[in-house]
Amino acid sequence: MTLLAVERIKLFTTRSPWWCSAVTLAVTIGFAALIVGTAGDEIPITVRVTQFGYSFGLAVVMVLAALAVTTEYRFGTIRTTFQAVPNRTAALLAKTGVVALLALALGEIAAFGSWALANVIRPQDDLALNTVAEWTNVAGVGPVYALTAVIAVAVGILVRHSAGAISILLIYTLAAESLVQLIPNVGDDIHKWLPFNVADKFLTGGMAGAGGEGPPVSTSALSAGWALAYFAGFALVMLVIALTTANKRDA
């Protein structure tokens, strides 16, 4: 508990987490409001469409999580941390846990905020959360943000440079996974198993929004439950690799 308290204090005494948190909520809820508010009356708004801004917030969460660890390497405070806590694994796990909890909270606030605002803008549409899939589409954003934060922290530990870690994360999520589909013959098969495509399957169940509105549909062959387990497993593998590397090299 002491390590968690220390990491919480270190995280919230810098400006970047506050700014990133504010931007995450603003872009996620803002883009959802933009899509819902500009849609014509002839286009029914679904629960899935209210989460249109999910991927924009996800990108900011990755930046927040990467900065949480790379900033310490940049200013050398990570050496002080490891001197105070010789067990590097425990120290880095505490940091990861604090960042993941913040990402979880941001995801839930952003998702339910987007859904609530859509209800205000389009009261004539049925946006009630009546099914498990609809609840997952909204409440599932938090767990996906949390696991994404774990992945981003792991990349930050491995790369140790803010610009490098953020570039890798954003290029991969915003471009690389989609470009894989262009590989002849095997591209689509590989894409089905890429982590963020699988995470989208957990959130959406592979269902498109009404009229084709909303984020692209996941091509993963897994069920929603197995998709979440797969994404969590990927995050765990990344974290284990990062912790192993951190314990073997100089701070």
Side-chain angles (χ1 to χ4, degrees):
M1 293 302 292
T2 302
L3 282 176
L4 291 174
V6 169
E7 292 300 333
R8 175 182 57 80
I9 293 170
K10 285 198 294 184
L11 181 66
F12 289 108
T13 50
T14 56
R15 294 180 180 179
S16 59
W18 293 101
W19 279 108
C20 287
S21 297
V23 172
T24 297
L25 297 178
V27 298
T28 304
I29 299 174
F31 272 103
L34 180 64
I35 294 300
V36 173
T38 57
D41 292 336
E42 70 280 2
I43 301 177
I45 299 299
T46 64
V47 171
R48 171 168 161 72
V49 175
T50 68
Q51 302 305 309
F52 183 88
Y54 143 80
S55 58
F56 299 99
L58 186 75
V60 184
V61 165
M62 287 191 292
V63 173
L64 185 159
L67 287 176
V69 63
T70 57
T71 301
E72 286 215 56
Y73 279 105
R74 177 185 176 187
F75 292 104
T77 56
I78 195 72
R79 296 188 183 91
T80 305
T81 298
F82 289 158
Q83 286 173 354
V85 185
N87 187 340
R88 295 186 178 186
T89 298
L92 293 173
L93 282 177
K95 180 181 294 294
T96 304
V98 170
V99 175
L101 286 174
L102 174 59
L104 175 66
L106 289 174
E108 295 301 326
I109 295 170
F112 280 99
S114 299
W115 172 77
L117 188 57
N119 274 280
V120 173
I121 297 173
R122 294 289 291 263
Q124 70 272 27
D125 290 302
D126 181 15
L127 296 176
L129 303 178
N130 296 316
T131 66
V132 173
E134 289 171 336
W135 272 102
T136 301
N137 204 177
V138 180
V141 172
V144 171
Y145 275 20
L147 291 171
T148 298
V150 173
I151 295 170
V153 169
V155 172
I157 294 171
L158 291 169
V159 178
R160 300 197 290 184
H161 297 285
S162 298
I166 292 171
S167 297
I168 290 171
L169 289 164
L170 295 183
I171 291 172
Y172 178 80
T173 55
L174 299 179
E177 283 204 357
S178 298
L179 292 176
V180 165
Q181 296 177 89
L182 300 179
I183 301 174
N185 301 322
V186 298
D188 288 336
D189 292 330
I190 295 173
H191 185 255
K192 290 179 181 179
W193 296 98
L194 295 181
F196 289 95
N197 180 47
V198 174
D200 287 340
K201 182 59 177 288
F202 162 65
L203 287 176
T204 67
M207 299 299 291
E213 300 292 334
V217 180
S218 172
T219 59
S220 172
L222 297 173
S223 66
W226 279 110
L228 178 61
Y230 181 93
F231 191 57
F234 177 81
L236 178 61
V237 169
M238 287 294 298
L239 184 59
V240 169
I241 293 172
L243 293 176
T244 302
T245 303
N247 278 293
K248 287 184 176 180
R249 68 187 179 191
D250 294 336

